[in-house]
Amino acid sequence: MSNVYVVGAGQTAFGAFPDESYRSLFADAYREALDSVAGDLPPDAIDEAVVGTLGVGGRQLGLSAPAVTEHVGLHGVPASRVENACAAGGFAVRQGVQAIESGMADVVLAGGVEVMTDASADTTKYWLGVSGETEWERLTGTTFSGVYAQMARAYLDQYDATTEDLARVAVKNHANGAQNPKAHLDFACSLADATDAPPVADPLNLYHCCPTSDGAAVVLLAGGDVVGEYTDDRVRVAGVGAGSDRVGLADRDSYTSISASREAGQQAYEMAGIGSDDLDFAEVHDCFAIAELLAYEDLGFCDPGDANRLLREGLTDRDGDLPVNTSGGLKSKGHPIGATGTGQIVEAFDQLTGQAGSRQLDDPTCGLTHNVGGSGGGAVVHVLEREAGR
Amino acid sequence: MTDASDGGDENNEASEATEAKLGIAGVGAYAPRRYVTSEAVEEAWGQFAGSGVQQTSVPAGDEDTLTMAAEAARLALDAAEVDAERVARLAVGTTTPPTEEPGMPARLVSMLGLDAATTTRQVGGSATGGVSALSGSLDAEGADDAELADDDTGEEAVLVVASDDVRGDPDSAVDQAGGAGAAAVVLTPDGPGRVLGVAEHTESYPGTRFRRAGERESEELGITAYERQAYRETVAGAVESLGAAVGDDDADSWIAGVDAAAIGAPDGSLPYRASDALGVGSEAIRPGSVVHDLGDCGTATPLLGLARALDTGSESVLVVGYGAGSEATALMLEADESVPVTRRTAGTDEVSYAEYLRLRGEITPGEPAGGGAYVSVPSWRRTLPQRHRLVAGECPDCGALAFPPEGACRDCHELVEYESVRLARRGAVETATTIGQGGAPPEFVEQQARGGSYVSAVVAFGVADAEAGGGDADRSVSVPMQVVECDETPAVGTEVRTTIRRIYEQEGVIRYGLKAVPAEAERDE
């Protein structure tokens, strides 16, 4: 199996951009990704393009991958769309890795784009509902926040955790997002702000939920045979893992663990030959605060029921033992569905190449990204490692 | 027990000299728990036009005459201890069905789990429909050729349901007196409540109350003396004929012995005003009267009154249905043994007049435009055994339960063909959340606009026999389900029971399914 490297990564700011189209957003991310390559990567070197996206403003779009790649001049490149709800971007990267490992491509563009803020709140809720279990779960009148609220309710019932622990996720991620010029909600918040926010779906309040965002993120992958043509500062995709589970919560064995994450994490650690102790940082899927607590446990950062301790002791703060969501996470950085997973790779790439600005960690060499689809029907994990330069 | 055939006079004017072979085996009564008081209406309108009505019941945003009918029928079957499979005939009386077409029986058959070969009929167009549905179902004559003839069991039953949700223009007496409720009666050959006779009477009084084609609201001209005369003449005419039907032309002698009179009426004062003409005193009218507390429940009023009368110890009950227009059906019931009755009619949640308008959908926006997660009507229909009756599957390989019973087994992952198993009607909340105001997906915006925040939960149900045998906590399966009639998010472990409600309406088709009610919210009467 050949090695696969991230040679470039870029993204737009995440936020609400009434003046931008899904194509112009993609073009901006693409341009930044090309610019980030240490050497020169001519567009005609790209053999394959995979684009993660759920839709555009509450509408589906056939051939959405060629629609964005032809827009940036990638004529003739095989381009396809990957959609696994909120894990679309992460699975696009995984598919890019597979294309290179299979020998069918040397250089792959894995991108993601979403425009979510040009639809009414009602339409957005309607549209996001397609990512849940539609015939039974959805027909209890629930939404994504509702399903995660049910997970949170079960978690708080089962373990010694409180809604204040949920609020701590928001405080930490906002503190990080305030250092990220690309973040959608780039302000810090206090524990009181995050505890006293208006209720959304009991026990979740507004600060326990991520925003809907517009944005795009593009990752450029290259195989070991060609990586030397583009960079000496090598960030290797050391591990890839993915899993799936029943789409509906009621059908699962546990409401307080996402088995798809566990499976994806185990695969990725095994492939990378590391354990969670070897990580210097992680970007985890925190669409709702409870999701970050579950991620700690499912990815082996701590035992089940122990996630609140990591938060309370600041272990996952930016200056803690294992910084989580230095980008601000979905909570602060934003969650443009298809771009979220690729955006996590952008953050990892920036951290590992020392380009993370004021939120830069001290010389990290190994990071993890974790991207969940829906309420856990699918998940994908990547482990990225910086190789010592030649 | 008295059989009408003992003294029937074939020449009298009674429409039937009933040879009733079926007796009342159980009665169920249901009314929504929310109510609005006459004071609240008076505060809104400056006056209250519902004569003799203190409060009226108000359906929840996800209730209608079909869901109330299903609830009352379930209560009646349970009271009578009659299995749904035993029901050979179903008769439904209503003037306010949720849809003009199709009728209610087919859906009730599915919701209650009756046999698909059940003979059904729906009686509409008149508030006397509940009593006439009952009177038309008493005769076991059809036993010779219908399902009732099955000699092997001798246990056949007939189910009669009446349900109404009366509405008018909000400033009208029709609306202000209008209530909502349903009652059901189970008839069996050995039912202890014997009907001694039945009679009908008509007089043509146009304009007393009417509903134009395609309209939801009923109207009346408000010609008071004319309406009273129509009521008195028609009801008294039916009761007079009933005397012949029970074999006693001397009204004074037989009617004086009546413990209670359950008489349908569009308001709370007409039965008393007609008491002289009927020969029953107000002391007999009161125990059979529900209109003071529930309002005018149309076809259901006399049967709700019957339930109340029997439940409070009356042993002989005169039941009269009255439909404006005018027609009346009267029957005389004797219950030597106590007829089991289950009532869930007490008002427990008072609502303001504004909430009343919201709950009834008078001032709510309807479903917003959108697209996305869509469940087609055919795919909905495919799951009706699950949505109406909690039919789950059991893995033939490992015994694990599956709900819905499709796809690979959750435990052994084999792609099996499941054996059908019925889940218990009681379960326990595993997790839940409250979808707050403004948080509902579009299909549920109307429900939320009417009823406010609602609870979305996951509920674990064991198999039905396991419950009867003491329960088997290990053999349960989880079902996503709304929990209604609770003020806050139910705690994990909360015990609930199922009830039929509207899920939502899309493309003009109402989707009905099971929701859960906390067991502690159960009402005793």
Side-chain angles (χ1 to χ4, degrees), chain A residues 55-81:
Chain A
V56 178
R59 288 168 286 122
Q60 305 301 121
L61 193 66
L63 292 174
S64 49
V68 293
T69 52
E70 62 93 358
H71 184 72
V72 299
L74 292 176
H75 291 286
V77 173
S80 55
R81 165 178 177 252

Side-chain angles (χ1 to χ4, degrees), chain B residues 20-63:
Chain B
K21 290 178 182 156
L22 300 178
I24 295 177
V27 181
Y30 175 81
R33 68 183 61 226
R34 290 173 189 78
Y35 66 92
V36 64
T37 64
S38 56
E39 288 84 7
V41 177
E42 191 167 349
E43 196 178 324
W45 285 100
Q47 60 181 2
F48 179 73
S51 179
V53 175
Q54 277 87 52
Q55 63 187 51
T56 60
S57 55
V58 183
D62 58 355
E63 286 187 297

Side-chain angles (χ1 to χ4, degrees), chain A residues 58 120 122-123 125-127 129-130 133-143 145-147 149-154 157 200-204 246 249-251 253 255, chain B residues 367-368 370-373 380 382 386-387 403-404 408 410 430-434 436 438-444 454 456-458 478 480-482 489-490 492 503-504 506:
Chain A
S120 72
D122 284 331
T123 300
K125 266 178 280 188
Y126 221 143
W127 172 53
V130 302
E133 200 287 313
T134 54
E135 289 194 29
W136 292 94
E137 189 170 270
R138 163 74 167 227
L139 291 185
T140 64
T142 195
T143 53
S145 50
V147 178
Q150 291 176 348
M151 295 160 91
R153 168 57 66 108
D157 183 70
V200 171
D202 176 39
L204 300 182
R246 312 283 309 197
L249 186 65
D251 291 331
D253 293 336
Y255 304 154
Chain B
E367 185 188 340
W380 179 273
R382 188 171 46 78
Q386 286 72 49
R387 297 194 190 276
F403 188 94
R410 276 104 173 125
E430 288 189 304
T431 187
T433 186
T434 296
E443 307 95 312
F444 295 88
Y454 56 80
S456 167
V458 181
S478 305
M481 190 175 281
Q482 280 190 9
T489 315
V492 174
I503 305 296
Y504 63 73
Q506 201 168 55

Side-chain angles (χ1 to χ4, degrees), chain A residues 206-296:
Chain A
L206 194 60
Y207 269 74
H208 301 146
C209 308
C210 71
T212 54
S213 315
D214 306 329
V218 167
V219 174
L220 296 167
L221 303 168
D225 296 341
V226 299
V227 64
E229 298 174 28
Y230 308 116
T231 184
D232 295 331
D233 201 6
R234 295 185 178 186
V235 174
R236 188 168 69 94
V237 183
V240 183
S244 68
D245 195 7
R246 312 283 309 197
V247 176
L249 186 65
D251 291 331
R252 299 192 198 145
D253 293 336
S254 169
Y255 304 154
T256 57
S257 170
I258 291 178
S259 71
S261 293
R262 286 184 174 268
E263 176 65 27
Q266 281 166 12
Q267 286 177 22
Y269 289 137
E270 194 171 321
M271 181 172 162
I274 65 160
S276 60
D277 289 348
D278 299 312
L279 296 174
D280 295 319
F281 67 92
E283 287 286 303
V284 307
H285 199 88
D286 62 322
C287 49
F288 299 92
I290 181 65
E292 180 156 329
L293 273 72
L294 299 186
Y296 292 178

Side-chain angles (χ1 to χ4, degrees), chain B residues 33 426-427 483 494-497 516-523:
Chain B
R33 68 183 61 226
R426 282 180 180 273
V483 181
T494 301
E495 193 187 351
V496 296
R497 66 158 177 92
V517 180
E520 64 180 16
E522 207 68 277
R523 294 167 291 172

Side-chain angles (χ1 to χ4, degrees), chain B residues 7 53 78 177 181 202 205 224 248 271 290 299 335 345 349 386 416 448 463-464:
Chain B
V53 175
D78 285 352
T202 60
Y205 273 92
T224 312
D248 189 343
V290 297
T299 56
T345 56
D349 295 0
Q386 286 72 49
V416 295
Q448 192 168 73
V463 296

